[in-house]
Amino acid sequence: MSGPYLIRGSVSLPEAELTWRFSRSSGPGGQHVNTSDSQVELRFDLANTEALPPVWKERALERLAGRLVDGVVSVRASEHRSQWRNRETAAVRLASLLAEATAPPPKPRRPTRIPRGINERRLREKKQRSETKRGRSSRDWS
């Protein structure tokens, strides 16, 4: 395993707070699939961790509320045939999930007004278009 996984800045996932579980992956794979536990489930106790700053922790608990089970977030990986690569994938996925969940909220959009000239030009072009279309349908065909 390649050490602690960086979330953002100098904050990283501590290896001691990660819980790993391994099981057999589903799907095809030949003889090898019946003997190896290559699927990985990585669990991180978000509610009781001391690794995250309090503000980040609150933000993550709020944003990941739908994914949490008793304050624990879990990530599963079974794309690769190797347990090692699945471990790497799960850890990177968890780190990116936490990075996204702890990111500060975006700056609120400041509403801007449409300039009067643009609005007038749009209405003028609409009027011209309607005149063009009205001119196409002449009713005096007889």
Side-chain angles (χ1 to χ4, degrees):
M1 212 65 212
S2 59
Y5 287 90
L6 207 61
I7 295 176
R8 201 171 60 248
S10 63
V11 179
S12 61
L13 285 173
E15 193 70 39
E17 293 188 20
L18 299 178
T19 309
W20 300 92
R21 218 174 84 194
F22 307 102
S23 58
R24 293 188 180 147
S25 288
S26 61
Q31 297 169 339
H32 176 70
V33 79
N34 297 328
T35 58
S36 64
D37 292 339
S38 60
Q39 179 173 309
V40 173
E41 183 180 352
L42 175 58
R43 298 167 60 86
F44 179 65
D45 193 354
L46 186 59
N48 299 324
T49 187
E50 296 298 322
L52 298 176
V55 176
W56 286 20
K57 189 171 159 181
E58 283 177 37
R59 214 180 279 153
L61 285 169
E62 182 181 319
R63 291 183 183 167
L64 297 175
R67 281 191 73 142
L68 297 178
V69 177
D70 298 329
V72 177
V73 64
S74 66
V75 173
R76 222 174 251 220
S78 62
E79 297 87 48
H80 307 289
R81 290 179 64 176
S82 151
Q83 185 189 97
W84 185 260
R85 288 181 65 192
N86 281 332
R87 283 177 64 123
E88 290 286 329
T89 303
V92 168
R93 201 177 291 164
L94 178 64
S96 66
L97 179 73
L98 288 174
E100 192 177 310
T102 58
K107 290 183 180 176
R109 181 187 171 276
R110 202 182 78 194
T112 56
R113 287 189 53 216
I114 298 173
R116 201 167 98 205
I118 290 176
N119 213 13
E120 287 174 355
R121 186 175 67 219
R122 180 182 62 86
L123 293 173
R124 192 170 54 248
E125 287 172 0
K126 275 180 76 166
K127 192 161 279 200
Q128 282 176 347
R129 184 82 179 139
S130 73
E131 287 297 324
T132 303
K133 288 189 170 193
R134 194 176 334 157
R136 289 178 188 160
S137 64
S138 57
R139 303 236 168 103
D140 53 346
W141 286 5
S142 49

